Amino acid sequence: MSRTRKLTAARLGPRDVLHVGSAGLRSRPVRVVLSALGIAIGIATMIAVVGISASSQAELLRRLDALGTNMLVAKPGEGMFSGQEVKLPKDAVGMVGRIAGVEEAAGTGDLKSSVRRSEKIPEAETGGIAVKAATEGLLDVLRGGLASGTWLNAATGRYPSVVLGHVAAERLGITEPGRQVWIDDRYFTVIGILDPLPLAPEIERSALVGWAGAERLLGFDGHPTTVYERSTDASVEDVQRLLAPTIDPQNPQNVSVGDPSSALKAKAATEGAFSTLLLGLGGIALLVGGVGVANTMIISVLERRHEIGLRRSLGATRGQIRIQFVTESLMLSGLGGLAGVALGGAATGVYASTGGLPWVVPLWAVGGGFAATLAIGTVAGLYPAVRASRLSPTLALATA
């Protein structure tokens, strides 16, 4: 008496799935490259946009760390009556220095003087350069540096000597210390040129003379126009609240307090806000690439009807056919994703190197971008895979 054995479908291991899934890719390499190109462009755009934004933000944060976010600036505000001139007390810098938490303070005072290269240049042609009296501790508070020369001290600050901001030096055509400039009715010797000061652009466009020298030679009244202070990070908010009432206890509303680092903070916080449009374009390119993959897979199914019919006749199940074509779609999208990640990272690297920025490509962008390609590959391959699995073996072989 014979026993009837139940036939079971052969199982495909992971290695077999990869082999049959890559068969279509190996046989049509040009089509694979063209289909993967759309995916690669979309991912490369998204990675580059995120990477460039992250690199710019990292540079801003680095600059903030170097410059510090613990500097506050106090200036005269508006008086109670329109047009009323408000002056800070002469000892404003000293009073600010006594606030708990303040580490150092300095001040500048605006002068009505003008600075020119020589007395032969018309007085009206100032080049937008201001003349300011400066206390000795100003450079330390600003965390500034000298491109060349020396800073004002107790000795040089009493005599006709001047330090130029780097913009002022460029406008005057001064490239090194030792030259002279004309201020009011006498020549002042340039003893130093400052490095750029991102937190104090007004100093960059100024000619700075010593406090005592300004009083003795230029008629300075001794009232500071701007007070700069550095405090501990933990006490910035407390100092900001106390600055105005300390400088002018009777009329604190006449003192304006600002944070010069707020602009850089806001820029760092909003860096990448304009990248939304480019991310959208990258997403559209990625979607178009997914449509291209789906179209390629449909064509592949139509061209390989004979292969599908033959495999079905030899016992391949519908599920195995679906797995084969979904795997092929995933591999096609994965190749495009890998190429896109590489291209996006390279584009970010080129931008960072040319702009002197740190090269930053967030891991979440790489992982998210590659995961998006796999998701698109799965979706793009589902319909062709289901269509292939539903082909009748007889009809597929008959019409091949």
Side-chain angles (χ1 to χ4, degrees), residues 91-105 229 239 242-243 246:
D91 58 346
V93 175
M95 291 190 295
V96 169
R98 290 191 290 269
I99 298 176
V102 173
E103 297 179 326
E104 47 192 356
E229 67 81 28
V239 172
L242 294 173
L243 263 180
T246 299

Short mmCIF file of all heavy atoms in Angstrom, two decimals, residues 91-105 229 239 242-243 246:
data_model
loop_
_atom_site.label_atom_id
_atom_site.label_comp_id
_atom_site.label_asym_id
_atom_site.label_seq_id
_atom_site.Cartn_x
_atom_site.Cartn_y
_atom_site.Cartn_z
N ASP A 91 31.62 108.03 36.59
CA ASP A 91 32.14 106.85 37.26
C ASP A 91 31.32 105.59 36.97
O ASP A 91 31.30 104.65 37.76
CB ASP A 91 32.20 107.09 38.78
CG ASP A 91 30.83 107.44 39.35
OD1 ASP A 91 29.91 107.76 38.56
OD2 ASP A 91 30.68 107.40 40.59
N ALA A 92 30.63 105.59 35.83
CA ALA A 92 29.76 104.45 35.48
C ALA A 92 30.56 103.15 35.39
O ALA A 92 30.10 102.09 35.84
CB ALA A 92 29.03 104.73 34.17
N VAL A 93 31.74 103.20 34.81
CA VAL A 93 32.55 101.99 34.65
C VAL A 93 32.92 101.43 36.02
O VAL A 93 32.83 100.22 36.27
CB VAL A 93 33.82 102.27 33.82
CG1 VAL A 93 34.72 101.03 33.77
CG2 VAL A 93 33.44 102.69 32.40
N GLY A 94 33.32 102.29 36.93
CA GLY A 94 33.69 101.83 38.27
C GLY A 94 32.50 101.25 39.02
O GLY A 94 32.63 100.25 39.73
N MET A 95 31.32 101.87 38.87
CA MET A 95 30.14 101.36 39.55
C MET A 95 29.74 99.99 39.02
O MET A 95 29.36 99.10 39.78
CB MET A 95 28.98 102.37 39.39
CG MET A 95 29.18 103.66 40.15
SD MET A 95 27.70 104.71 40.18
CE MET A 95 27.53 105.10 38.43
N VAL A 96 29.83 99.81 37.71
CA VAL A 96 29.50 98.51 37.11
C VAL A 96 30.47 97.44 37.60
O VAL A 96 30.09 96.30 37.88
CB VAL A 96 29.52 98.61 35.57
CG1 VAL A 96 29.44 97.21 34.94
CG2 VAL A 96 28.37 99.46 35.08
N GLY A 97 31.74 97.80 37.74
CA GLY A 97 32.74 96.84 38.20
C GLY A 97 32.51 96.34 39.61
O GLY A 97 33.05 95.30 39.99
N ARG A 98 31.69 97.06 40.40
CA ARG A 98 31.43 96.64 41.77
C ARG A 98 30.18 95.76 41.91
O ARG A 98 29.87 95.32 43.02
CB ARG A 98 31.30 97.88 42.67
CG ARG A 98 32.62 98.63 42.88
CD ARG A 98 32.49 99.68 43.96
NE ARG A 98 31.66 100.80 43.53
CZ ARG A 98 32.12 101.90 42.93
NH1 ARG A 98 33.42 102.00 42.68
NH2 ARG A 98 31.31 102.87 42.58
N ILE A 99 29.49 95.49 40.80
CA ILE A 99 28.31 94.61 40.86
C ILE A 99 28.78 93.18 41.09
O ILE A 99 29.75 92.72 40.48
CB ILE A 99 27.50 94.70 39.55
CG1 ILE A 99 26.98 96.12 39.34
CG2 ILE A 99 26.34 93.72 39.57
CD1 ILE A 99 26.25 96.32 38.01
N ALA A 100 28.10 92.46 41.97
CA ALA A 100 28.46 91.07 42.25
C ALA A 100 28.35 90.23 40.98
O ALA A 100 27.33 90.27 40.29
CB ALA A 100 27.54 90.51 43.34
N GLY A 101 29.39 89.51 40.69
CA GLY A 101 29.40 88.67 39.50
C GLY A 101 30.13 89.26 38.32
O GLY A 101 30.52 88.55 37.39
N VAL A 102 30.34 90.58 38.32
CA VAL A 102 31.07 91.24 37.23
C VAL A 102 32.56 91.00 37.41
O VAL A 102 33.12 91.26 38.48
CB VAL A 102 30.76 92.75 37.19
CG1 VAL A 102 31.66 93.45 36.18
CG2 VAL A 102 29.30 92.98 36.85
N GLU A 103 33.19 90.49 36.38
CA GLU A 103 34.62 90.18 36.43
C GLU A 103 35.47 91.35 35.96
O GLU A 103 36.55 91.61 36.50
CB GLU A 103 34.91 88.94 35.59
CG GLU A 103 34.23 87.68 36.12
CD GLU A 103 34.50 86.47 35.28
OE1 GLU A 103 34.63 86.62 34.04
OE2 GLU A 103 34.58 85.36 35.83
N GLU A 104 35.03 92.06 34.94
CA GLU A 104 35.78 93.21 34.42
C GLU A 104 34.84 94.12 33.67
O GLU A 104 33.83 93.68 33.11
CB GLU A 104 36.94 92.75 33.53
CG GLU A 104 36.57 91.71 32.50
CD GLU A 104 37.79 91.10 31.85
OE1 GLU A 104 38.91 91.53 32.15
OE2 GLU A 104 37.61 90.16 31.04
N ALA A 105 35.17 95.39 33.65
CA ALA A 105 34.35 96.39 32.98
C ALA A 105 35.25 97.41 32.30
O ALA A 105 36.37 97.66 32.74
CB ALA A 105 33.40 97.06 33.96
N GLU A 229 30.85 95.09 29.95
CA GLU A 229 31.23 94.32 31.14
C GLU A 229 31.16 92.83 30.83
O GLU A 229 30.38 92.37 30.01
CB GLU A 229 30.31 94.65 32.31
CG GLU A 229 28.87 94.22 32.18
CD GLU A 229 28.62 92.77 32.51
OE1 GLU A 229 29.39 92.21 33.33
OE2 GLU A 229 27.68 92.18 31.94
N VAL A 239 23.14 90.32 36.59
CA VAL A 239 23.86 91.54 36.24
C VAL A 239 23.05 92.36 35.24
O VAL A 239 22.97 93.60 35.35
CB VAL A 239 25.25 91.20 35.66
CG1 VAL A 239 25.93 92.44 35.11
CG2 VAL A 239 26.13 90.56 36.73
N LEU A 242 20.59 94.35 37.06
CA LEU A 242 21.13 95.37 37.96
C LEU A 242 21.88 96.50 37.26
O LEU A 242 22.16 97.53 37.88
CB LEU A 242 22.07 94.71 38.98
CG LEU A 242 21.43 93.73 39.97
CD1 LEU A 242 22.50 93.04 40.79
CD2 LEU A 242 20.45 94.48 40.89
N LEU A 243 22.24 96.30 36.00
CA LEU A 243 23.10 97.28 35.32
C LEU A 243 22.48 98.68 35.31
O LEU A 243 23.11 99.66 35.72
CB LEU A 243 23.39 96.82 33.90
CG LEU A 243 24.70 96.08 33.65
CD1 LEU A 243 24.84 95.70 32.19
CD2 LEU A 243 25.89 96.92 34.09
N THR A 246 22.12 100.41 38.68
CA THR A 246 23.43 100.70 39.27
C THR A 246 24.05 101.93 38.62
O THR A 246 24.62 102.80 39.31
CB THR A 246 24.37 99.50 39.11
OG1 THR A 246 23.83 98.37 39.79
CG2 THR A 246 25.75 99.80 39.66
#
